[in-house]
Amino acid sequence: MEIKQLETRAKQIRSTILETIHQAGAGHIGGPLSAVDVLNYLYFKEMNIDSKDGRKENRDRFILSKGHSAIALYTVLAYRGFLPMEELTTFDALNSRLQGHPDMTLLPGLDMSTGSLGQGLSAGLGMALGAKAQNASFRTYCMIGDGESQEGQIWEAADVASKYGVDNLVCIVDNNRLQQFGWSDDQVTRNAPLEDPSDRWKAFGWHVISIDGHCYDSLDQAFKEARETKGKPTVIIANTIKGKGVSFMEGAYLWHSKVPTQEELQLALTELETEGMEG
């Protein structure tokens, strides 16, 4: 898929996420919108997958460790053909396959049930080591959040991955630099995480690539470089904007998990539809 097509698809995905959250009356928005471009690139250009066989043995694996952003993954999976588009209307409903966090026992195309932050990279490491042991060619990709990177288990996995040189493992940090409650309000000021986490990952022995996580040319180059890197795992620091694509949601922590009103939804959809049309 060409970059222009990916950019068009990203707008459609963001619009569908917003419509789905509005219809469900619940769900996260800020983190899913920041993750869209990476997920879009992975599922439509990077990964070896088959929507007709979600359990294909030699498929590439993907783990959304920041599982609260599940609606972004479900929407991308629907556009990719893993589930009917109309099933998105069941998001977060009782007995739906599309719960607030991914459940691999319910939905084909999921490689791990996630939601407990910090655990996904360990599972990805296990998959990558398994591929090495079996001389299998599949690669494993794991997306984590920058807030999630504060979990100690992330760094235990990072240490072991470097020790065994798992060059078939790629970690993507959705580095939107804005957590659930922001950094300051009327009552408290919190310490923000590292502006650039590259040095920490380098210290753990990883090959580090830092990019604009919304630029498809940069994503293209980064994943190519990751495939060509041998002897060590790769981490892609995808610098993103929380709430990307909707001006009044961008960089606003209150949209971490908030349902848009009908008026807000229409404003957001109009903005996404007209993006890039000026001039």
Side-chain angles (χ1 to χ4, degrees):
M1 180 174 281
E2 297 300 320
I3 285 177
K4 280 295 183 184
Q5 293 175 295
L6 288 168
E7 291 172 342
T8 299
R9 179 72 75 199
K11 294 178 188 179
Q12 296 170 335
I13 291 168
R14 287 189 167 94
S15 294
T16 302
I17 288 171
L18 292 167
E19 291 171 327
T20 303
I21 295 297
H22 175 76
Q23 188 273 334
H28 294 77
I29 284 183
L33 292 182
S34 69
V36 162
D37 296 300
V38 172
L39 294 174
N40 187 28
Y41 187 90
L42 281 169
Y43 276 86
F44 282 95
K45 192 162 186 183
E46 172 67 14
M47 293 198 300
N48 173 29
I49 50 176
D50 184 352
S51 60
K52 295 182 176 60
D53 185 1
R55 303 294 187 209
K56 189 175 181 179
E57 185 173 343
N58 209 38
R59 71 190 183 281
D60 287 339
R61 271 64 167 176
F62 175 74
I63 297 167
L64 182 67
S65 190
K66 46 173 281 181
H68 57 282
S69 292
I71 185 57
L73 179 57
Y74 297 152
T75 304
V76 170
L77 286 172
Y79 274 99
R80 188 64 172 78
F82 281 87
L83 65 142
M85 288 294 297
E86 56 268 24
E87 188 173 354
L88 291 172
T89 62
T90 72
F91 173 68
D92 209 34
L94 188 65
N95 298 323
S96 171
R97 297 194 298 175
L98 311 182
Q99 291 301 307
H101 293 81
D103 185 342
M104 65 182 293
T105 68
L106 297 178
L107 188 65
L110 297 179
D111 293 307
M112 183 183 173
S113 303
T114 55
S116 296
L117 294 178
Q119 296 184 0
L121 188 58
S122 295
L125 169 60
M127 294 175 190
L129 286 170
K132 290 283 188 183
Q134 299 170 43
N135 292 317
S137 62
F138 71 82
R139 295 173 63 77
T140 299
Y141 301 84
C142 177
M143 174 180 277
I144 67 174
D146 57 319
E148 180 182 12
S149 298
Q150 295 166 209
E151 298 285 351
Q153 187 172 341
I154 292 290
W155 301 105
E156 292 175 348
D159 189 35
V160 174
S162 174
K163 176 182 178 180
Y164 288 101
V166 282
D167 49 21
N168 55 345
L169 174 64
V170 179
C171 177
I172 306 105
V173 182
D174 182 21
N175 194 39
N176 62 39
R177 302 176 296 280
L178 184 61
Q179 296 177 21
Q180 183 171 3
F181 301 109
W183 304 121
S184 64
D185 54 32
D186 294 336
Q187 297 178 326
V188 66
T189 296
R190 302 171 180 83
N191 292 324
L194 295 173
E195 278 296 312
D196 184 357
S198 297
D199 287 345
R200 179 179 291 181
W201 286 94
K202 287 177 184 175
F204 274 82
W206 286 57
H207 177 64
V208 179
I209 307 169
S210 184
I211 62 166
D212 177 348
H214 301 306
C215 173
Y216 284 95
D217 283 323
S218 296
L219 287 166
D220 210 34
Q221 294 168 16
F223 282 105
K224 179 177 183 292
E225 185 177 329
R227 289 192 300 274
E228 293 173 348
T229 298
K230 304 302 178 186
K232 59 172 61 177
T234 293
V235 59
I236 297 174
I237 311 293
N239 296 297
T240 59
I241 299 171
K242 198 157 188 171
K244 173 67 176 176
V246 182
S247 59
F248 61 87
M249 295 181 181
E250 290 186 351
Y253 75 88
L254 292 174
W255 285 101
H256 175 86
S257 179
K258 181 182 175 182
V259 179
T261 64
Q262 184 63 42
E263 181 181 3
E264 289 168 335
L265 175 64
Q266 289 307 314
L267 285 171
L269 294 178
T270 299
E271 189 171 332
L272 285 165
E273 288 169 5
T274 57
E275 182 186 5
M277 292 175 62
E278 297 84 355

